[in-house]
Amino acid sequence: MRNQLENIKQQALAALQSCQDSKELDALRVKYLGKKGELTAILKQMGKLSPEERPIVGQVANEVRQALEEALSVRQTELQSQALEQQLAEETLDVTLPGKASTAGGLHPLNIVLEDLMDIFQSMGFDVVDGPEVETDYYCFEALNVPKDHPARDMQDTFYLGENLVLRTQTSAAQIRVMENRKPPIRIICPGRVFRADEVDATHSPVFHQVEGLVVDKGITMCDLKGCLEQFAHEIYGPETQVRFRPSFFPFTEPSVEVDVTCSECGGKGCRVCKGTGWIEILGAGMVHPNVLRGCGIDPDVYSGFAFGIGLDRLTTTRYKISDIRLLFENDQRFLEQFQGR
Ligand code: PHE
């Protein structure tokens, strides 16, 4: 019996070494130590032994059991750490590899300037309103004191969509919609796209952007217009900037002016950007024509107002020293990326 026990021990230990995973190990444990296991089977026969032999064989049996249990648990730990190492080797992660960078979008330069502009006018109490890009002839011209066949229509090359439907040539169309729907005091700006059948070149595009401004109240004068635009120019170009009004003509304002600011590039000395004049034209403006107020149901004997139309594209190209307006519309990412975070 002693020999049998020794044999079992030797066999079990040998089998243990060739065990490759914990499943095989479990099977082995059952095979030798389980209820129907080989060791147990031998122990069951202990009854047949003489009382002198019993404790001796019993001790050997216990030693064999202990030795097997120990060996099993040692092998189990070995297998577990082997498995872990293998897993680590398979799932290695090279933390020094460069990550996948996600590129953040940015605002278009026109929108950067527009946001600044809206901030400035909102801080002066202006509301921002929207108007349709497809307009009726009435809102784009007629209500702005430009009847059909009036020579002033030639000032703007219009895209007609039908006899009475146009792509708006100016954001001034929004003035009328606002005055029809609001009572003075009115203080609004209306930014948006406008369209003219112009030839494309470095300073012209058939699509460009204006920001219309309109103030109507009792006692509004040309001084208010000048103060408002001066404030605007100082905030956009810096406090040393000067503003100059030149007489001009728009059918819907009387008097009308063209407004220049001192060139931000040369400070007024004259350079390439301002074509040697020292001045850059940024907008048209004037006092709202009494006919326009009257047409919207506002009494011109009680109320007066001023309006202006800022060329947003010009403002943007001079601010960022962009030499060609077409860059604003071509969506070349190499160009647009330069404005990120500005
Ligand atoms: N709408 C004019 C233009 O497009 C600009 C303007 C707006 C002039 C408001 C006066 C008042 O040229």
Side-chain angles (χ1 to χ4, degrees):
M1 209 171 235
R2 236 191 174 149
N3 286 342
Q4 269 182 319
L5 283 169
E6 273 306 317
N7 277 345
I8 287 177
K9 186 175 159 189
Q10 293 315 323
Q11 273 173 22
L13 290 180
L16 209 61
Q17 284 320 306
S18 58
C19 243
Q20 285 316 313
D21 57 39
S22 54
K23 239 187 183 168
E24 285 178 34
L25 208 62
D26 276 342
L28 215 64
R29 189 193 311 275
V30 173
K31 183 171 178 209
Y32 291 102
L33 300 177
K35 268 189 196 155
K36 293 178 185 161
E38 292 185 21
L39 191 63
T40 323
I42 290 180
L43 291 178
K44 277 182 187 158
Q45 292 169 22
M46 293 262 288
K48 293 179 191 158
L49 295 175
S50 68
E52 299 82 51
E53 281 174 323
R54 220 175 283 159
I56 302 166
V57 175
Q59 197 187 349
V60 176
N62 271 339
E63 278 167 14
V64 169
R65 164 185 290 274
Q66 252 174 27
L68 285 186
E69 272 171 358
E70 235 164 70
L72 275 164
S73 95
V74 168
R75 184 70 186 145
Q76 173 140 25
T77 325
E78 261 172 34
L79 285 176
Q80 273 171 353
S81 68
Q82 258 176 32
L84 183 65
E85 244 153 64
Q86 194 181 349
Q87 193 185 5
L88 285 177
E90 278 167 9
E91 295 175 7
T92 348
L93 188 69
D94 184 353
V95 291
T96 63
L97 282 176
K100 280 187 197 153
S102 56
T103 46
L107 287 180
H108 191 281
L110 283 171
N111 279 329
I112 300 175
V113 177
L114 177 58
E115 287 201 348
D116 287 354
L117 208 141
M118 290 197 293
D119 273 352
I120 294 168
F121 282 106
Q122 276 171 330
S123 75
M124 292 193 236
F126 285 71
D127 275 353
V128 180
V129 303
D130 209 7
E133 292 179 347
V134 173
E135 265 298 6
T136 60
D137 185 275
Y138 176 77
Y139 286 107
C140 201
F141 297 118
E142 209 135 329
L144 285 162
N145 206 26
V146 190
K148 286 226 161 72
D149 306 324
H150 191 283
R153 292 226 175 190
D154 292 343
M155 285 171 77
Q156 300 169 359
D157 264 329
T158 310
F159 287 112
Y160 279 87
L161 301 177
E163 202 187 328
N164 283 314
L165 217 53
V166 300
L167 289 178
R168 69 176 172 193
T169 56
Q170 48 188 352
T171 44
S172 301
Q175 286 186 30
I176 307 300
R177 291 183 176 274
V178 170
M179 284 193 279
E180 281 179 351
N181 292 313
R182 295 194 193 190
K183 297 240 161 308
I186 293 171
R187 239 180 294 175
I188 58 103
I189 56 169
C190 171
R193 286 198 294 186
V194 296
F195 308 83
R196 292 183 199 178
D198 279 334
E199 286 294 327
V200 180
D201 64 26
T203 53
H204 291 88
S205 160
V207 184
F208 56 103
H209 301 79
Q210 288 186 332
V211 180
E212 191 77 7
L214 174 70
V215 171
V216 181
D217 202 354
K218 287 178 182 160
I220 297 291
T221 69
M222 198 108 175
C223 284
D224 298 310
L225 171 63
K226 190 154 195 196
C228 175
L229 292 179
E230 236 161 24
Q231 172 78 14
F232 157 72
H234 289 169
E235 295 208 30
I236 281 276
Y237 291 111
E240 66 291 342
T241 309
Q242 288 174 38
V243 175
R244 122 180 137 174
F245 280 20
R246 273 179 296 114
S248 184
F249 171 80
F250 299 103
F252 38 89
T253 47
E254 181 56 38
S256 301
V257 289
E258 221 120 31
V259 180
D260 303 337
V261 292
T262 39
C263 175
S264 55
E265 180 68 21
C266 62
K269 288 190 204 77
C271 68
R272 227 172 54 103
V273 175
C274 56
K275 301 199 177 82
T277 63
W279 296 94
I280 291 180
E281 183 194 323
I282 55 164
L283 59 92
M287 301 306 292
V288 182
H289 198 291
N291 286 354
V292 175
L293 291 174
R294 208 175 287 119
C296 296
I298 296 174
D299 185 350
D301 291 331
V302 180
Y303 292 102
S304 55
F306 65 75
F308 54 85
I310 302 171
L312 184 61
D313 312 83
R314 171 66 74 86
L315 216 59
T316 306
T317 52
T318 52
R319 172 159 167 185
Y320 292 123
K321 304 184 176 62
I322 299 167
S323 56
D324 194 321
I325 193 178
R326 285 170 286 199
L327 286 165
L328 294 176
F329 303 106
E330 282 167 353
N331 285 330
D332 184 334
Q333 289 220 349
R334 292 165 303 176
F335 168 73
L336 294 175
E337 274 166 6
Q338 301 174 60
F339 301 91
Q340 265 191 32
R342 289 241 220 155

